[in-house]
């Protein structure tokens, strides 16, 4: 069996550090824009009234989109909301509006849903592919005065790398990636709800440093299927009770690339999941993919190829410590020519050589699992030392 030297793969990480600077996601240390915040006070469309520092967005029979005269790709927008006319109780920050004179369905929104106790982010004309609802943590109280009045502070941060960060008060709800985002007009929206908005602060341009919590040098993560969000403990896939659900990156490797892909998987609940590579069709990942996984239901770790059904596998039984460990370290070595090695917590699970391997995208997946993935790192080199 050929084994990639750990020393060699670590030394090669400099290549990735350089290339990451031009990538689509910068998890830490985003450059500050240097532009001052303003009140975002010039609103031009929708049903609203404005009195001093209070913007009242009226309740209508459907979407009431109140747009400003500001348009940007990267920005920070925050405001305090009080729901004054109940109904569906949906209040939104809206952005990515392509045509402010006729918004139609070409826009994105971040919604607070008090009736569901969730925050929603979606692209109106692409809800089939991008419509995510994240449950609020216990630390968030939408009725802070103890009565029935819903009040909250919402902040949305959008970067040039197409990442959207959502905060309620000081609590980060999650961060999300939408590949087709290209910026547009910014404003507010309600759905069959009346709301008063105060303390509006808008800063155009790339935001300052964001503590991502998700440590990776792999660009462009997004939830391909199921429920996924970037949280303070990493990339979170909460898909208990359903089968294979994928989060994929935008990193696609050809079949001749020798590389190491590794990271941690923390199982909160459910059966398990693993790291994924060799995804040839990101729109239909289950059609062709390879994984190094942990299956707590069967009590095994397995390296396998799947094409809407298992093609081959190499596995071993989990040790007692591994069966009860919450966090596991998964390491995949891919050697030019289609040789794969899978190490779990430093111990070899199995190896396999597949001459039909054709490269593909990197990702992770859950199988009836609620898992966190973190420290996802990729290193490569043209001629690594073999020992």
């Amino acid at each position: 069996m050929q084994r990639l030297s750990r020393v060699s793969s670590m030394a090669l990480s400099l290549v990735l550090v350089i290339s990451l600077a031009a990538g689509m996601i910068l998890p830490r240390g985003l450059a500050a824009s240097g532009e001052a915040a303003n009140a975002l006070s010039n609103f031009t469309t929708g049903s609203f009234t404005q009195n001093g520092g209070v913007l009242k967005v009226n309740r209508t029979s459907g979407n009431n989109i109140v747009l400003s005269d500001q348009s940007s790709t990267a920005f920070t927008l925050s405001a305090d909301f009080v729901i004054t006319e109940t109904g569906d109780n949906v209040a939104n920050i809206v952005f990515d509006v392509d045509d402010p004179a006729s918004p139609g369905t070409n826009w994105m929104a971040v919604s607070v849903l008090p009736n569901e106790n969730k925050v929603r982010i979606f692209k109106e004309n692409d809800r089939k592919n991008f419509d995510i609802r994240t449950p609020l943590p216990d630390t968030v109280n939408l009725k802070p005065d103890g009565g029935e009045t819903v009040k909250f502070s919402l902040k949305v941060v959008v970067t040039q790398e197409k990442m959207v960060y959502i905060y309620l008060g000081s609590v980060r709800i999650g961060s999300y990636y939408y590949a087709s985002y290209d910026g547009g007009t910014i404003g507010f929206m309600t759905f069959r709800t009346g709301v008063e908005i105060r303390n509006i602060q808008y800063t155009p341009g790339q935001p300052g440093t964001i503590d991502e919590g998700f440590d990776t040098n792999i660009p462009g993560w997004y939830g391909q299927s199921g429920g996924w969000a970037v949280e303070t403990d990493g990339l979170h896939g909460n898909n208990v009770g359903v089968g294979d659900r994928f989060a994929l990156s935008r990193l696609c490797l050809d079949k001749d690339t020798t590389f190491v892909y590794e990271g941690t998987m923390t199982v909160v609940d459910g059966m398990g999941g693993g790291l994924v590579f060799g995804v040839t069709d990101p729109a239909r990942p289950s059609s062709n993919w390879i994984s190094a996984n942990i299956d707590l239901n069967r009590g095994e770790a397995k390296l396998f190829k799947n094409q809407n059904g298992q093609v081959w596998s190499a596995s071993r039984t989990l040790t007692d410590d591994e069966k009860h460990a919450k966090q596991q370290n998964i390491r995949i070595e891919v050697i030019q020519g289609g040789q794969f090695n899978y190490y779990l917590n430093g111990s070899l699970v199995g190896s396999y050589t597949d001459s039909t391997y054709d490269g593909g995208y990197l990702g992770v997946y859950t199988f009836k699992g609620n898992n966190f993935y973190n420290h996802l790192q990729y290193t490569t080199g043209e001629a690594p030392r073999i020992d």
Side-chain angles (χ1 to χ4, degrees):
M1 180 192 75
Q2 288 184 321
R3 172 88 192 276
L4 286 183
S5 164
R6 291 175 186 269
V7 174
S8 297
S9 64
M10 285 169 31
L12 292 164
S13 64
L14 178 60
V15 177
L16 271 297
V17 172
I18 294 171
S19 64
L20 181 62
M24 294 304 296
I25 177 172
L26 298 175
R28 300 181 184 274
L30 298 177
S33 69
E35 298 193 47
N38 64 61
L40 196 72
S41 57
N42 297 320
F43 296 96
T44 58
T45 64
S47 175
F48 69 95
T49 59
Q50 198 167 6
N51 184 9
V54 180
L55 173 68
K56 183 176 181 180
V57 180
N58 299 319
R59 178 179 177 178
T60 63
S61 60
N63 290 328
N64 181 16
I65 300 177
V66 176
L67 296 176
S68 72
D69 60 356
Q70 297 293 310
S71 179
S72 185
T73 300
F75 65 90
T76 300
L77 176 59
S78 63
D80 297 335
F81 292 73
V82 178
I83 291 182
T84 57
E85 297 177 81
T86 59
D88 285 77
N89 287 4
V90 179
N92 309 262
I93 286 178
V94 66
F95 56 103
D96 195 29
V97 178
D98 186 59
D99 182 1
S102 180
T105 60
N106 194 3
W107 43 268
M108 291 180 69
V110 171
S111 306
V112 177
L113 309 175
N115 292 346
E116 299 181 26
N117 209 38
K118 294 179 180 179
V119 166
R120 178 189 184 199
I121 180 171
F122 62 101
K123 176 72 172 181
E124 176 65 7
N125 62 359
D126 192 22
R127 285 187 290 172
K128 180 179 179 180
N129 296 307
F130 192 73
D131 188 349
I132 302 168
R133 299 177 189 230
T134 302
L136 299 182
D138 294 338
T139 53
V140 173
N141 181 8
L142 296 180
K143 298 178 180 179
D145 297 335
E148 294 302 312
T149 302
V150 174
K151 302 168 66 175
F152 54 86
S153 297
L154 175 64
K155 180 168 75 171
V156 172
V157 180
V158 184
T159 75
Q160 293 172 354
E161 292 76 34
K162 306 184 181 184
M163 291 294 298
V164 181
Y165 300 82
I166 303 172
Y167 301 81
L168 277 175
S170 61
V171 179
R172 192 176 71 196
I173 303 303
S175 52
Y176 312 83
Y177 173 81
Y178 184 61
S180 299
Y181 173 73
D182 57 3
T185 302
I186 298 162
F188 300 98
M189 184 180 76
T190 60
F191 179 72
R192 297 198 291 231
T193 303
V195 64
E196 290 183 353
I197 306 173
R198 295 174 171 83
N199 300 321
I200 300 169
Q201 294 293 309
Y202 166 69
T203 306
Q206 187 78 333
T209 299
I210 296 175
D211 182 11
E212 175 65 62
F214 177 36
D215 174 31
T216 183
N217 65 359
I218 301 170
W221 287 93
Y222 64 98
Q224 192 279 335
S225 55
W228 296 88
V230 175
E231 301 176 7
T232 54
D233 292 328
L235 179 61
H236 185 197
N238 189 356
N239 299 300
V240 172
V242 293
D244 300 329
R245 296 294 184 268
F246 297 87
L248 300 177
S249 76
R250 299 188 70 192
L251 180 60
C252 185
L253 305 172
D254 64 44
K255 64 180 181 180
D256 296 321
T257 300
T258 295
F259 66 92
V260 173
Y261 175 31
E262 62 184 327
T264 62
M265 182 176 83
T266 301
V267 179
V268 178
D269 189 21
M271 294 187 181
L275 272 55
V276 171
F277 66 102
V279 176
T280 53
D281 183 357
R284 298 182 304 118
S286 59
S287 65
N288 190 42
W289 55 295
I290 304 172
S291 177
N293 90 336
I294 297 169
D295 186 337
L296 295 177
N297 184 51
R298 295 184 177 181
E300 67 177 11
K302 183 166 64 174
L303 174 70
F304 66 92
K305 182 174 184 176
N306 193 299
Q307 294 177 332
N308 292 313
Q310 185 170 287
V311 178
W312 54 254
S313 70
S315 63
R316 70 162 170 82
T317 300
L318 295 172
T319 66
D320 287 340
D321 287 344
E322 289 167 344
K323 289 177 182 178
H324 296 97
K326 283 295 183 182
Q327 181 171 291
Q328 314 271 9
N329 182 271
I330 297 174
R331 175 184 171 97
I332 301 167
E333 299 175 347
V334 178
I335 299 171
Q336 183 178 359
Q339 178 181 314
F340 317 125
N341 304 322
Y342 170 20
Y343 290 84
L344 178 61
N345 303 317
S347 173
L348 179 67
V349 170
S351 301
Y352 200 91
T353 299
D354 183 351
S355 61
T356 67
Y357 171 68
D358 201 31
Y361 291 87
L362 301 186
V364 296
Y365 89 107
T366 60
F367 178 76
K368 299 183 179 180
N370 177 8
N371 307 334
F372 282 90
Y373 298 86
N374 213 340
H375 313 298
L376 297 177
Q377 301 292 314
Y378 154 78
T379 52
T380 186
E382 294 181 359
R385 179 168 61 87
I386 306 295
D387 60 11

